Amino acid sequence: MTDMMSKAATMEIPINSNGDTRTMAEDDGLEQAAKLQWSLDEKLGSSRGDLQQVMVSGPNLNETSIVSGGYGGPAEGIIPTSSIQGNSCSSSSASMADEKNRGVAVEKLENMKKWGLNTYKCTKQMISERFGRGSRTVDLELEAQIEVLRDTRGKYENVLRLARALTNHFYNMVQTQHALGDTFADLSQKSPELRDEFGYNAETQKLLCKNGETLLGAVNFFVSSINTLVNKTMEDTLMTIKMYESARLEFDAYRSDLEELSAGPRDAAALARMDAAQQQYQVQKEKYERLRSDVTIKLKFLEENKVKVMHKQLLLFHNAISAYFAGNQQQLEQTLKQFNVKLRPPGADKPSWLEEQ
């Protein structure tokens, strides 16, 4: 078509002898060429207008598609741009999750590094103290009180063990007296010639059994109170003492580290390490002093509580044992009322598992 247009535009116009232009057939060909050129210009103009409109308004990227299979390809090759944006958001979320996980991993690694360094320093300090090469901070008064507490707890544990053994033996004796009383009562009914003798012994065993159950209530209360004092109150104080001793070891370890750095060279790197060691030393010092104060306060309160508890329990134990073996049933019952000791119901013959702890 382009060749024909260029040919029509560049062709020469011959003139005949009369001065008329062309023949009739040539005139028709020229008119058709002009019409074809006009229609082509009109189409090109409309195409330029549409292109300008598209460029001004712009396509909606959410509604456009990317054809992966080329022009005229199957429908399956069309990829919506919305899915590309979704994949971009997913990759962004994944990268944020990776950054968060990386931060957590770095934090854990840093904590592990600090723990390892602290363990190394404390182990080094412990070995130095054991072989007499390192110095340790000592509070003579507090150390003496701690040693007394540990010795006292060992003795109280022995009292608790013996009191439990007494409870078990006495419980078995009461059960034997109960069975013996039932046997005497049965024989009293079946042996007319010894009815009175068996009857007296049956009554005596039943009375002893009743008084024994009352004494068991007092002894169980005594065991329970000693168990609370030893395994709860004293144990709590000893746990604080263990924390104090651990803080003392850490304090001495960082103190020794600071002393070694202070005795070394004073270049820029050494001064930076010395400043960091000074900060760690100050932190450990505050922790050590705080725990030392806690131990002092707990030892004081423990001593007051121990005296108060043991004064009551020893008096109860003495009065109950004395009344039982004196055969004074009224005084035995009065002792239990005085110390607010409640007996177990008749069905609970054996001491509970809590009382045996």
Side-chain angles (χ1 to χ4, degrees):
M1 183 180 294
T2 304
D3 293 340
M4 184 175 65
M5 289 173 57
S6 59
K7 183 177 180 181
T10 57
M11 65 187 306
E12 296 181 357
I13 304 175
I15 302 175
N16 57 17
S17 58
N18 296 327
D20 296 331
T21 61
R22 305 179 180 272
T23 61
M24 185 63 66
E26 291 176 345
D27 291 340
D28 294 338
L30 183 61
E31 184 177 357
Q32 292 177 359
K35 289 181 178 181
L36 182 63
Q37 179 70 25
W38 177 83
S39 62
L40 181 62
D41 291 341
E42 184 178 4
K43 290 182 178 180
L44 290 175
S46 62
S47 298
R48 290 192 187 96
D50 294 340
L51 179 61
Q52 290 178 356
Q53 183 179 2
V54 169
M55 292 178 64
V56 171
S57 61
N60 188 355
L61 295 179
N62 293 328
E63 297 178 356
T64 58
S65 302
I66 299 176
V67 180
S68 61
Y71 180 79
E76 297 84 37
I78 300 176
I79 305 174
T81 56
S82 60
S83 64
I84 297 178
Q85 292 179 353
N87 292 334
S88 176
C89 293
S90 300
S91 62
S92 177
S93 301
S95 63
M96 292 178 62
D98 291 341
E99 289 293 335
K100 184 177 180 180
N101 293 334
R102 190 178 298 111
V104 173
V106 170
E107 182 180 359
K108 289 183 178 180
L109 184 61
E110 189 67 22
N111 292 334
M112 183 66 68
K113 181 180 178 181
K114 291 180 180 179
W115 175 83
L117 181 61
N118 184 72
T119 303
Y120 166 74
K121 291 179 181 294
C122 293
T123 304
K124 179 182 177 182
Q125 177 67 23
M126 185 185 301
I127 295 175
S128 299
E129 292 178 2
R130 183 164 298 179
F131 287 96
R133 293 195 299 266
S135 60
R136 64 186 298 266
T137 303
V138 179
D139 188 331
L140 296 178
E141 183 179 358
L142 187 59
E143 293 290 336
Q145 293 178 2
I146 293 173
E147 189 63 28
V148 169
L149 172 60
R150 285 176 173 154
D151 183 65
T152 302
R153 192 198 181 192
K155 294 178 179 178
Y156 275 53
E157 285 178 338
N158 190 38
V159 170
L160 181 60
R161 180 179 61 82
L162 294 174
R164 284 172 174 168
L166 175 64
T167 303
N168 291 331
H169 295 322
F170 199 77
Y171 170 79
N172 293 329
M173 187 185 74
V174 170
Q175 293 301 310
T176 303
Q177 289 175 340
H178 188 276
L180 189 58
D182 291 341
T183 303
F184 284 158
D186 183 62
L187 289 173
S188 175
Q189 298 295 328
K190 297 180 180 180
S191 303
E193 66 281 3
L194 296 174
R195 177 178 302 174
D196 293 338
E197 288 79 0
F198 278 125
Y200 296 152
N201 282 277
E203 292 296 329
T204 302
Q205 294 301 319
K206 288 181 180 180
L207 179 60
L208 290 175
C209 183
K210 181 180 179 181
N211 292 341
E213 291 176 350
T214 305
L215 179 62
L216 272 176
V219 176
N220 282 330
F221 186 75
F222 174 82
V223 170
S224 177
S225 299
I226 300 299
N227 179 67
T228 301
L229 178 64
V230 172
N231 293 321
K232 292 184 179 179
T233 310
M234 289 185 178
E235 180 64 23
D236 178 71
T237 304
L238 288 173
M239 287 297 297
T240 306
I241 290 174
K242 289 180 181 179
M243 295 172 60
Y244 157 74
E245 291 176 343
S246 177
R248 196 279 309 164
L249 183 64
E250 292 180 358
F251 167 69
D252 283 336
Y254 282 93
R255 176 182 55 80
S256 300
D257 188 36
L258 181 61
E259 290 175 355
E260 291 178 2
L261 290 175
S262 300
R266 295 300 182 94
D267 55 357
L271 290 176
R273 289 195 300 268
M274 190 180 301
D275 290 339
Q278 180 67 36
Q279 294 177 1
Q280 291 292 332
Y281 166 78
Q282 191 64 32
V283 171
Q284 297 299 329
K285 182 180 179 181
E286 293 175 357
K287 180 181 177 182
Y288 164 73
E289 292 179 348
R290 183 180 69 254
L291 286 171
R292 181 176 62 179
S293 177
D294 293 345
V295 169
T296 302
I297 294 173
K298 284 197 173 185
L299 284 173
K300 180 181 178 181
F301 287 151
L302 175 61
E303 184 64 23
E304 294 176 356
N305 187 34
K306 182 191 71 174
V307 171
K308 181 179 179 180
V309 169
M310 292 308 299
H311 174 76
K312 176 181 178 180
Q313 295 303 319
L314 290 173
L315 187 60
L316 166 67
F317 190 80
H318 173 268
N319 292 346
I321 292 291
S322 299
Y324 173 79
F325 284 100
N328 194 338
Q329 180 182 359
Q330 183 178 359
Q331 183 181 355
L332 181 60
E333 294 176 353
Q334 184 64 32
T335 300
L336 268 65
K337 291 180 181 179
Q338 177 184 355
F339 292 97
N340 297 321
V341 179
K342 295 181 180 180
L343 297 178
R344 295 187 306 274
D349 295 332
K350 189 177 181 179
S352 65
W353 65 270
L354 183 60
E355 294 169 341
E356 293 179 354
Q357 299 303 314

